[in-house]
Amino acid sequence: MTEFDFIRKYLQNQQQDHQVVLGIGDDAAIVRPKSGYDLCFSADMLLKNKHFFENVLPEDLAWKVLAVNISDMAAMGAKPKWVLLSAGLPELDENWLRRFCNSLFDLAQRFGMILIGGDTTRGDLVFNVTIIGELPQGQALRREAAKIGDDIWVSGKIGLAASALNCLLKRCELPSEVFQQCEAELLRPMPRVALGQAILNLAHAAQDVSDGLAQDIGHILTASNVGAEIWAEQVPTLPQLKESLSRGQWLQYTLAGGDDYELVFTAPESCRGALEAASQQTDTLITRIGKITDSGRLKVVNSVSDGLEIALTSLGFDHFG
Ligand code: ADP
Ligand code: MG
């Protein structure tokens, strides 16, 4: 199979979208924005042995490559629409590529997204996705918008993916059912697109949890020039996971693990009822885990009632740390 066979056979025959003026096949794609909307762009790169293991199934790999990018759109409150996929592939293994593409298009179609271009070269296995989303003009959820007194909320359950990863790296042990539940989150995170859009007019600041909850909240604090208090015991978890880990491991994986692809956002107290409604309407668990404060720093305490401060050894993942 040649590069051009691959493009023709696997990439070109997709459902259409009336905003795509020109899709795959020319030197560049053209999309037409809707009036009254902003376009939102993001890119994320995934490297072998850094973001995925070499022996990962092509279905799981494709899912993760796209899901982590969709998650950035969710964090802006945007609707993901178009994708460009650049791939370095050691060879064009048709069976592997078919499985990869089936999974990629399965996830793309769930969100009504279209692959409009990319690049394919021979090389070490690497992917870079550029994703384009759409959102009502001027309404994006930005990191700089947190206000003192805001509640801090998080979606889903935190720390499962990091626990699975640490288990694979032999840094902890988990009962097999617990491991399987955690590994599913590590391999196939489900980006919170519906929630992101549902909180557009309610939340102040938002971001997705990719590198560790504490570190990612830290980005909101820095951008908004505020502080926060987080209540560790209120952070949603899997009870069996918490029982299986030491207290130190649980705190580390939950507060500083990463790979969750949940949303963390701030909103005024007056929005609590509307947020609970948005949570129900989008069938997405949300939990209040802290407050934005004027302290200028992130303070992690054991629980809201005891206020005992916890010192974390690391706040999250840093590629150059
Ligand atoms: P160019 O020479 O301009 O780089 P290519 O021959 O590489 O063009 O690509 C031909 C068409 O196929 C282009 O529309 C490009 O966007 C698309 N394409 C190539 N690789 C991919 C890929 N991995 N995913 C999606 N589209 C791709
Ligand atoms: Mg090319």
Side-chain angles (χ1 to χ4, degrees):
M1 197 171 51
T2 69
E3 182 189 328
F4 305 104
D5 294 335
F6 165 59
I7 293 169
R8 209 174 316 112
K9 190 161 172 197
Y10 291 101
L11 304 181
Q12 253 175 337
N13 45 4
Q14 297 174 74
Q15 259 182 330
Q16 277 317 300
D17 164 342
H18 69 276
Q19 284 175 269
V20 177
V21 178
L22 187 58
I24 290 176
D26 213 307
D27 296 308
I30 303 176
V31 298
R32 189 159 293 158
K34 277 198 291 210
S35 80
Y37 285 78
D38 287 334
L39 292 181
C40 190
F41 297 74
S42 166
D44 247 324
M45 188 153 87
L46 285 92
L47 303 175
K48 184 180 80 181
N49 296 331
K50 192 149 281 172
H51 302 95
F52 56 88
F53 291 114
E54 194 158 7
N55 61 356
V56 66
L57 298 178
E59 290 86 354
D60 290 336
L61 181 56
W63 184 285
K64 184 131 181 183
V65 162
L66 187 54
V68 304
N69 279 276
I70 296 175
S71 180
D72 282 320
M73 293 293 110
M76 301 302 290
K79 177 170 168 44
K81 301 271 293 190
W82 307 294
V83 187
L84 295 115
L85 170 69
S86 295
L89 302 169
E91 57 180 337
L92 291 181
D93 174 341
E94 188 160 2
N95 180 48
W96 193 94
L97 286 170
R98 182 175 6 86
R99 292 171 57 187
F100 182 92
C101 288
N102 282 341
S103 176
L104 187 85
F105 288 120
D106 170 16
L107 182 58
Q109 278 161 17
R110 287 178 197 229
F111 291 102
M113 299 170 64
I114 310 239
L115 183 70
I116 58 167
D119 198 24
T120 309
T121 63
R122 187 193 290 270
D124 210 12
L125 195 59
V126 58
F127 297 92
N128 183 67
V129 167
T130 301
I131 189 161
I132 306 166
E134 211 174 45
L135 87 183
Q137 210 169 315
Q139 289 189 29
L141 300 169
R142 300 156 70 133
R143 293 180 182 182
E144 67 195 21
K147 299 266 181 303
I148 292 162
D150 277 359
D151 293 323
I152 300 174
W153 297 80
V154 73
S155 67
K157 292 179 178 166
I158 303 295
L160 281 64
S163 299
L165 178 63
N166 279 283
C167 193
L168 289 168
L169 296 173
K170 309 240 177 292
R171 294 182 188 141
C172 69
E173 281 181 32
L174 295 174
S176 66
E177 332 77 80
V178 178
F179 172 73
Q180 278 164 23
Q181 230 176 310
C182 291
E183 192 191 31
E185 297 298 319
L186 177 66
L187 295 176
R188 296 203 179 201
M190 185 50 94
R192 301 301 191 180
V193 172
L195 180 68
Q197 290 180 268
I199 63 174
L200 263 187
N201 295 306
L202 304 172
H204 283 155
Q207 106 137 63
D208 68 331
V209 185
S210 55
D211 294 332
L213 181 64
Q215 178 165 295
D216 289 331
I217 290 173
H219 295 318
I220 291 180
L221 304 187
T222 306
S224 303
N225 201 19
V226 292
E229 183 171 289
I230 300 295
W231 315 312
E233 283 298 322
Q234 269 69 40
V235 178
T237 186
L238 192 65
Q240 307 94 296
L241 173 67
K242 195 172 181 182
E243 286 160 19
S244 309
L245 295 171
S246 72
R247 173 93 182 139
Q249 284 170 330
W250 180 78
L251 284 170
Q252 194 65 34
Y253 303 163
T254 303
L255 296 170
D259 255 352
D260 299 290
Y261 301 102
E262 295 295 345
L263 298 185
V264 62
F265 56 96
T266 82
E269 281 184 18
S270 59
C271 286
R272 284 181 190 174
L275 284 168
E276 296 291 359
S279 156
Q280 290 213 339
Q281 174 217 320
T282 59
D283 198 19
T284 312
L285 172 75
I286 60 169
T287 309
R288 211 148 44 77
I289 59 161
K291 295 292 288 182
I292 295 290
T293 66
D294 62 2
S295 71
R297 70 175 189 112
L298 176 64
K299 184 177 178 190
V300 180
V301 301
N302 186 60
S303 75
V304 65
S305 46
D306 65 29
L308 287 172
E309 188 158 0
I310 293 172
L312 288 175
T313 48
S314 135
L315 291 183
F317 188 75
D318 174 352
H319 283 279
F320 297 97

